[in-house]
Structure formats: structure tokens, C-alpha cells
Amino acid sequence: FRLPCTWDDRLEVESRIDEWRTKSFVVAHTIWKGEQIAVEGHEIRIWGLRHPDGSEKLMAGEVPADFKAVFGALETS
């Protein structure tokens, strides 16, 4: 957190994929208050698949190339 924000502030949220990994990717977020950055952060997301045992469990799978292509990612393999 860089700047205080209040309920009536007009904010702009910018999200982008900063890094592609084999089974996950990093989503970075910037929240702008006018011309100034109010908040910066990131999250790591996995590509979730149903577990092959048929249960409700999830497991990480390889991020598909067509999903990456939607975001303009270049394949390096």
C-alpha cells in the first residue's frame, strides 16, 4: 500500500500476467489513484485440473498454449 484510499475515490485497476511458469502463472495488480500508484501486489495462480481418482480434489496441470496465446504469451519451448 502506497497511498490511502477512501470509499469515494476513483480508482483504476490494472492486472497483467507478469510470468508464465509450467503449471502456474503470476498475475500482477496495480491500483491507480489518478496518476499515482496506490497499491501494488501479485498472486500466483495454478492451472487446476480434476484429480484422476475422480474425487473433488484438484491438481496442477500444464498451462495450455492456447490459454497463453489469448494473453499474447510467446512459447519458449
Side-chain angles (χ1 to χ4, degrees), residues 23 46-53 57-61:
K23 296 182 178 185
I46 67 152
W47 188 261
L49 302 173
R50 294 246 179 244
H51 198 277
D53 69 8
K57 292 187 276 185
L58 294 177
M59 58 183 245

Side-chain angles (χ1 to χ4, degrees), residues 4-6 9-13 31-34 38:
C5 299
T6 61
D9 286 339
R10 186 171 184 89
L11 304 173
E12 183 176 329
V13 178
I31 300 176
W32 297 86
K33 182 178 176 181

Side-chain angles (χ1 to χ4, degrees), residues 54-68:
S55 68
E56 294 293 317
K57 292 187 276 185
L58 294 177
M59 58 183 245
E62 190 168 333
V63 180
D66 60 340
F67 180 79
K68 291 179 180 181

Side-chain angles (χ1 to χ4, degrees), residues 9 12 14 18-19 23 25-26 28 32-33 41 43-44 49 54-56 60-61 64-65 70 72 77:
D9 286 339
E12 183 176 329
E14 174 186 293
D18 253 5
E19 181 183 345
K23 296 182 178 185
F25 50 97
V26 179
W32 297 86
K33 182 178 176 181
E43 59 182 304
I44 299 173
L49 302 173
S55 68
E56 294 293 317
V70 169
S77 50

